[in-house]
Amino acid sequence: MTDTSADLVILGGGSGGYACAFRAAELGLSVTLIEKDKLGGTCLHRGCIPTKALLHAAEVADSTRESSQIGVKASLEGIDMDGVNSYKDGIVTKLHKGLQGLAKAHKVNYVEGAGTLVDANTVEVDGAHYTGNNVVLATGSYSKTLPGLEFGGRIIASEQALNLDHVPEKVVVLGGGVIGVEFASVWRSFGAEVNVVEALPHLVPNEDESSSKQLERAFRKRGIKFSTGVKFTGAQQTDEGVTVSLENGETLEADLLLVAVGRGPNTAGHGYEEAGVSLERGFVRTDERLRTNLPGVYAVGDIVPGLQLAHRGFQQGVFIAEDIAGLNPPVIDEAGIPRVTYSNPEVASVGLTESEAREQYDKVETFTYDLAGNGKSQILKTPGSAKVVRAADGPVLGLHLVGERVGELISEAQLIYNWEALPEDVAPLVHPHPTQSEALGEAHLALAGKPLHVHG
């Protein structure tokens, strides 16, 4: 049996794991990174990157279909899924090779294989023990389903949806969260009939209600059907299709049922419980500094309760590396992590929703700037808005954006929220014209008491 020691052993090579490995190596720590699949994890290979490649292909399809609206003569002949998948896979392959090169450049000891936590200092892979002064658990998540609803045949998860070799004629999407509405958006752009089922009252239910309602209006206009506030009761599939039953007695017929009811923590089978790690509903319990109940053992990413976002895991990985290295980084504010749904239109936010703000503060002010008044948004022909929530006479508490490409604005919004800026601090900043960023400027000007391009 081989014993390999390092300052840090990381179990899982997704966004959180590799970020932790690279940052720790930069800080002079020796690192062993263990991954049973491919470096980059779900985000790179089965999540963020390939889905956004599909969404860009969908955007090109929509732009072609609507080109006559801006005087360009073009026609959409169809969707070549072999070509789309080749484009998507090429991006993933290039980024994967880049990550492999970075691991070598950082002199990270990369170990391929399934790891099991033996104790607070040891991970076993194929009989070999890898010991570290500290251990980071970063094993990610998996696609969940509902009791009695098994994947297989015409009932698929997002992983299978990413690799379809055809565009289905009719699809039912079970779950109106981020994953569900993104795939609904793609398939509709590719020409499919789509019906989304969400048990909660709105699509993207974790977003500000005004953002959810705008997305729902846009989906209706695009011909995407959806049922909210209704629960799924069953699904039956045959060689010809799948029938989905709802609690209101309605049945939906489709070629495929995409189950997009969230992701569960991938903690089973890794020895966590046996080694004494405290779990709750399958998630690893940590303190605000991401320390587990075992001394020297940290957890990062989707296995830690909270937002399941690649950039959250990435930042947590950097935080842990710096914490272990003695830099004492500040605790990550979960509300300050930007959130983006890359559907058409996009939904982006950071900070508190209006309802959350009103629960926590006595007096709250909001302003919503309609993108109809923004020149670049009119050029792009996108409806939407920029909504700012502030404490009365206090800092900005939340920012909520809807519209094409607004995900590119959320980084400025993140700075505003995380620096606890007042609208009066943001109002003097110059936003280049014509850009969609002017919408953020206009909203803050209005809350600062000096609205410009605002009616009423």
Side-chain angles (χ1 to χ4, degrees), residues 85-436:
N85 286 330
S86 177
Y87 155 73
K88 164 180 64 69
D89 295 342
I91 295 168
V92 171
T93 298
K94 184 175 181 179
L95 291 174
H96 181 219
K97 288 180 178 178
L99 275 183
Q100 290 174 312
L102 285 170
K104 291 180 181 178
H106 284 95
K107 295 182 172 57
V108 169
N109 177 29
Y110 181 62
V111 177
E112 293 185 3
T116 301
L117 184 67
V118 176
D119 56 41
N121 300 102
T122 311
V123 176
E124 181 180 340
V125 182
D126 295 329
H129 280 190
Y130 297 87
T131 59
N133 297 327
N134 293 277
V135 173
V136 177
L137 311 178
T139 44
S141 60
Y142 64 91
S143 292
K144 292 198 302 184
T145 186
L146 297 177
L149 183 62
E150 296 183 1
F151 293 122
R154 296 178 179 274
I155 301 174
I156 63 174
S158 59
E159 291 87 350
Q160 291 77 49
L162 281 170
N163 295 304
L164 291 180
D165 59 3
H166 67 287
V167 178
E169 290 187 17
K170 294 183 179 181
V171 186
V172 171
V173 178
L174 181 57
V178 174
I179 296 173
V181 300
E182 287 186 353
F183 274 103
S185 190
V186 167
W187 281 325
R188 184 57 183 157
S189 296
F190 285 174
E193 292 183 29
V194 183
N195 204 323
V196 183
V197 177
E198 170 55 52
L200 293 174
H202 291 289
L203 299 181
V204 289
N206 292 329
E207 295 292 341
D208 191 89
E209 187 173 330
S210 64
S211 296
S212 295
K213 289 180 177 179
Q214 288 182 76
L215 178 66
E216 290 168 359
R217 284 198 296 271
F219 270 23
R220 289 191 191 98
K221 188 174 181 180
R222 294 184 60 195
I224 298 175
K225 299 177 182 178
F226 56 91
S227 301
T228 56
V230 60
K231 293 182 179 179
F232 161 91
T233 56
Q236 298 291 328
Q237 60 175 314
T238 66
D239 292 339
E240 288 73 39
V242 59
T243 301
V244 178
S245 302
L246 307 181
E247 67 174 356
N248 60 5
E250 186 179 1
T251 59
L252 306 173
E253 304 289 338
D255 302 314
L256 291 174
L257 169 61
L258 170 64
V259 182
V261 293
R263 297 186 64 82
N266 186 16
T267 53
H270 297 292
Y272 293 173
E273 282 191 284
E274 294 82 352
V277 175
S278 179
L279 302 179
E280 184 175 351
R281 295 180 297 108
F283 290 93
V284 177
R285 296 180 61 183
T286 71
D287 63 11
E288 63 180 5
R289 302 196 74 80
L290 301 172
R291 296 173 295 204
T292 72
N293 62 303
L294 296 184
V297 179
Y298 295 74
V300 62
D302 287 359
I303 62 173
V304 178
L307 298 168
Q308 291 181 311
L309 300 170
H311 47 280
R312 172 189 181 242
F314 186 96
Q315 191 61 31
Q316 287 178 333
V318 172
F319 171 90
I320 290 172
E322 294 182 349
D323 202 49
I324 290 171
L327 299 185
N328 194 32
V331 171
I332 299 169
D333 176 7
E334 291 273 321
I337 298 172
R339 310 170 291 270
V340 185
T341 302
Y342 295 89
S343 53
N344 179 13
E346 292 182 355
V347 179
S349 62
V350 67
L352 305 180
T353 65
E354 180 178 347
S355 61
E356 290 170 340
R358 294 193 183 280
E359 289 175 1
Q360 298 180 34
Y361 293 82
D362 292 334
K363 294 184 179 180
V364 170
E365 297 175 359
T366 70
F367 184 83
T368 301
Y369 182 79
D370 194 322
L371 293 188
N374 177 259
K376 185 58 180 287
S377 296
Q378 290 306 297
I379 291 169
L380 295 173
K381 299 184 72 65
T382 179
S385 67
K387 177 178 179 179
V388 180
V389 181
R390 74 173 296 186
D393 300 321
V396 172
L397 302 174
L399 301 99
H400 305 276
L401 311 171
V402 179
E404 192 173 324
R405 304 185 188 182
V406 296
E408 299 299 331
L409 305 182
I410 203 62
S411 292
E412 180 185 355
Q414 176 189 199
L415 292 175
I416 293 168
Y417 170 82
N418 283 293
W419 283 346
E420 299 180 348
L422 300 172
E424 292 80 5
D425 297 326
V426 181
L429 300 179
V430 178
H431 291 83
H433 178 74
T435 65
Q436 287 183 292

